[in-house]
Amino acid sequence: MDRLVPPEYAGWQRHEPELRRMTTAQLIDEIQDGPPDRRLAALAVIDLAEVPLPVIEDWIRILPEAEVNELAGAIPVQRPNTSAEEEAKWVEVARLGYERRRVATFLVMLGSALEGLEAKDAALAAETWNIIAGWVENVYDRLALAGDLEALADIELFLFENYLDRRPLLDVFAQLVERHERLALRVSTDPAAYLANVPEEGRRRVLEAAERGGGLDFAESWSILEETV
């Protein structure tokens, strides 16, 4: 089944065989100057590891949403021969992409890049998680203030439901739960969705914060958690 895209991209897959034979420089030209269907196809086949970082940053800023989504999915994370520094670069590209465009695929690739970094350099990964956790706290607060429920749900789904076993993100999460009643209610009524992989001390800390933030009483949310994990 063809992927749903706006009408201007109809038939974009038919260009892929031709574009796969092009050099990276030629693909960059297609993305810069080609019609929409060829731009999307070029983004689907290009190796971003061969594209200068300033060019990628420009694409994040200027490309239409369907193309930015394809760009996000093309971030080359967790390659076996990639260095830790290269993996850290893709963490930052994914973070920048989400910060500027609010496309959820960047969050998926952010998590994947962080996993790749963990496999290559634990110390650098720990340092990077601290930075990313602080950024997540900041962006979540801003999105909540703006009332962007869709973006908040994306962060909860792609980061909080998958990575709370990383201590920096858990620490930030506990603070957010205490500040945001909506999140406190979600966590305390469905704690297993967030806390299944979190050690007991962290679970207690989050659910106590949820109670203070306007969620269910700790005893009630703890009982729900025990019944579902």
Side-chain angles (χ1 to χ4, degrees), residues 2-223:
D2 288 346
R3 203 172 72 207
L4 291 177
V5 292
E8 61 267 30
Y9 300 104
W12 65 275
Q13 293 103 328
R14 73 179 185 275
H15 300 298
E16 287 193 48
E18 173 197 353
L19 295 178
R20 288 186 188 280
R21 296 190 292 270
M22 289 185 174
T23 65
T24 298
Q26 290 171 321
L27 291 171
I28 290 173
D29 287 342
E30 286 285 349
I31 295 166
Q32 305 278 54
D33 301 318
D37 56 337
R38 289 182 68 86
R39 291 200 307 265
L40 191 63
L43 285 162
V45 303
I46 198 168
D47 184 353
L48 290 184
E50 299 177 359
V51 179
L53 184 57
V55 174
I56 296 173
E57 291 174 346
D58 281 345
W59 289 348
I60 289 171
R61 181 174 54 85
I62 66 175
L63 290 177
E65 184 170 343
E67 296 168 39
V68 166
N69 186 61
E70 193 69 42
L71 172 68
I75 294 174
V77 299
Q78 297 193 30
R79 290 185 174 178
N81 298 321
T82 299
S83 68
E85 290 71 21
E86 184 79 357
E87 205 77 65
K89 180 182 83 171
W90 299 123
V91 170
E92 177 57 20
V93 167
R95 186 205 66 79
L96 176 67
Y98 188 76
E99 178 70 50
R100 291 189 175 175
R101 299 301 297 269
R102 299 290 187 262
V103 172
T105 307
F106 282 115
L107 296 176
V108 176
M109 303 312 289
L110 175 65
S112 186
L114 284 161
E115 290 178 24
L117 183 56
E118 288 172 334
K120 295 178 173 68
D121 188 327
L124 180 57
E127 178 183 337
T128 305
W129 265 115
N130 279 321
I131 295 168
I132 292 299
W135 169 75
V136 170
E137 180 180 18
N138 178 272
V139 76
Y140 193 95
D141 281 338
R142 285 187 279 125
L143 291 169
L145 185 63
D148 192 338
L149 298 181
E150 182 178 355
L152 292 173
D154 286 339
I155 291 176
E156 292 161 19
L157 175 62
F158 295 116
L159 295 181
F160 294 156
E161 291 190 21
N162 290 291
Y163 296 107
L164 289 184
D165 55 344
R166 276 65 168 186
R167 183 58 182 262
L169 194 62
L170 179 66
D171 290 345
V172 160
F173 185 69
Q175 296 174 43
L176 290 171
V177 164
E178 190 164 351
R179 285 204 296 273
H180 298 283
E181 183 177 2
R182 172 189 161 278
L183 183 59
L185 286 167
R186 287 176 64 87
V187 172
S188 61
T189 55
D190 188 14
Y194 300 91
L195 303 175
N197 296 319
V198 174
E200 181 174 336
E201 179 274 333
R203 292 176 176 180
R204 289 183 176 276
R205 184 155 60 96
V206 168
L207 294 181
E208 288 168 355
E211 180 180 1
R212 292 191 297 271
L216 300 181
D217 290 344
F218 170 80
E220 185 175 357
S221 61
W222 187 260
S223 177

